């Protein structure tokens, strides 16, 4: 059934076909309902938006910027992390800068090179480690650290329903229930002053919906994928979930919605787990050293070895 | 019918042969591409799966799988 006389651009799972105008309204309404239902944003916030220049973060920034204009007590600024992935991150950051400039959003950029001594591409030459592992650890470390320095009250990320579905399934396959306890529209098991609360306003939006919104609202020209993703475990789970969704529409929603029912119980179960602090940098850690410092140590040792080899 | 298709994920242009009266869904099926993973556009307008395509149409497939 078509929404109106205008040409439809998307068909929802329930069968309704929406034109550009009505799809935009539907999508933005869904985001606002997610924010309200899960109490993601208060009446007064210094809200950070993690921006990469990709479709998810630009869509998120676009909608939150509109929200901020309607509610001046909700201030927003963008944070971007430059991991140093050649021909990917350099290009997307240009898009991020243009976008933030156009919409008058303050953009703070922090790089792996400045903070850890080398870009990710070089780290992968020196260390035998999965790209997404080290990238994720350093990126989350920087996002938290810099969010605190910027005195942000919350940090919004562009994680969508597909991302969450993949994470849920990955944790199930790897028997990592504690990791699942940290999932959800509000990340983490309990409030901790050393973690800037992360929120996911696009939580109930499918990846194809986000891409469609970004396309019809001309938010970016190119949809690029990180070159390191294709080798990852996540990519395999993603392809599996897309296969299921094609054959059995509604699978992804079902996985996430059923997970939301058990999530409060998971958070309750793990709420008393101790949070330690890294003896090196003071950031939260599961043991005496945080993962970022552990990898930084490995990196330094490997760099020294590499330098010795070259000198020899 | 011959359809000119550019797929951004492969950065390649191909000519695909489909039957008369084919739809976007038929085209994707012929190319073995999951409709969940792409936006289909013609002249910068999105086409839904049930829309019919015409001989010598220039179609762009935009992968929604992006980011990292």
């Amino acid at each position: 059934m078509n929404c109106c006389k205008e040409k439809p651009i998307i068909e929802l799972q329930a069968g309704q076909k929406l034109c550009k105008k009505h799809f935009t309204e539907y999508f933005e309404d869904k985001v606002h309902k997610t924010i309200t239902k899960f109490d993601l944003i208060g009446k007064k916030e210094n809200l950070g938006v993690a921006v990469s220049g990709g479709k998810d973060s630009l869509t998120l920034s676009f909608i939150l910027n509109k929200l901020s204009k309607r509610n001046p007590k909700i201030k927003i600024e963008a944070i971007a992390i430059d991991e140093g992935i050649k021909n990917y991150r350099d290009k997307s950051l240009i898009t991020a800068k243009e976008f933030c400039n156009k919409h008058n959003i303050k953009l703070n950029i922090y790089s792996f090179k400045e903070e850890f001594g080398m870009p990710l591409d070089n780290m992968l030459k020196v260390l035998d480690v999965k790209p997404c592992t080290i990238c994720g650890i350093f990126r989350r470390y920087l996002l938290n650290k810099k969010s605190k320095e910027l005195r942000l009250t919350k940090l919004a990320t562009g994680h969508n329903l597909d991302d969450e579905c993949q994470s849920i399934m990955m944790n199930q396959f790897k028997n990592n229930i504690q990791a699942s306890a940290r999932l959800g529209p509000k990340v983490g098991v309990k409030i901790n002053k050393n973690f800037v609360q992360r929120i996911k306003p696009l939580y109930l939006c499918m990846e194809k919906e986000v891409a469609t919104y970004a396309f019809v609202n001309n938010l970016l020209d190119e949809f690029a994928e990180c070159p390191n993703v294709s080798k990852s475990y996540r990519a395999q789970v993603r392809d599996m979930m897309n296969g299921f969704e094609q054959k059995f529409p509604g699978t992804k929603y079902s996985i996430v919605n059923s997970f939301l029912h058990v999530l409060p119980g998971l958070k309750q179960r793990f709420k008393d787990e101790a949070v330690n602090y890294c003896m090196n940098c003071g950031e939260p850690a599961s043991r005496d050293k945080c993962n970022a410092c552990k990898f930084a140590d490995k990196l330094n040792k490997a760099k020294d070895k590499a330098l010795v080899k070259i000198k020899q | 019918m011959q359809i000119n298709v550019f797929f951004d994920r492969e950065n390649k242009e191909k000519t695909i042969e489909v039957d008369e009266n084919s739809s976007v869904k038929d085209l994707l099926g012929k190319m073995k591409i999951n409709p969940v993973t792409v936006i289909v556009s013609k002249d910068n307008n999105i086409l839904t799966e049930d829309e019919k395509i015409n001989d010598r149409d220039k179609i762009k497939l935009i992968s929604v799988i992006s980011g990292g």
Side-chain angles (χ1 to χ4, degrees), chain A residues 7-11 17 55-56 88 139 207-208 211-212 215-216 223-226 229 238 242-243 245-246 252, chain B residues 8-9 33-41 44-51 60 62-68:
Chain A
K7 186 187 170 309
I9 59 154
I10 193 168
E11 183 172 348
K17 291 181 187 175
K55 68 177 190 306
D56 302 292
Y88 171 65
R139 188 150 41 123
E207 184 162 42
K208 185 163 178 174
T212 303
F215 182 90
V216 298
F223 290 35
E225 187 182 28
C226 176
V229 163
R238 174 198 71 203
N242 281 333
E245 185 68 30
Q246 182 184 10
K252 291 177 192 173
Chain B
D8 68 350
R9 201 171 167 81
I33 290 174
N34 184 342
V36 164
T37 65
V38 292
I39 293 172
V40 181
S41 82
N44 221 33
N45 293 309
I46 297 182
L47 304 180
T48 52
E49 275 183 61
D50 58 348
E51 278 189 71
K60 188 174 178 185
I62 301 158
S63 174
V64 307
I65 296 172
S66 59

Side-chain angles (χ1 to χ4, degrees), chain A residues 37-38 164 184-185 203-204 255-264:
Chain A
K37 181 177 177 178
F38 298 107
E164 188 80 347
Y203 192 80
L204 295 177
I255 287 172
V256 172
N257 277 317
S258 57
F259 175 73
L260 284 172
H261 282 296
V262 300
L263 186 57

Side-chain angles (χ1 to χ4, degrees), chain B residues 50-67:
Chain B
D50 58 348
E51 278 189 71
K52 297 292 179 202
I53 46 179
N54 304 307
D55 190 26
R56 296 188 199 167
D57 267 350
K58 287 189 176 173
I59 302 287
K60 188 174 178 185
L61 302 185
I62 301 158
S63 174
V64 307
I65 296 172
S66 59

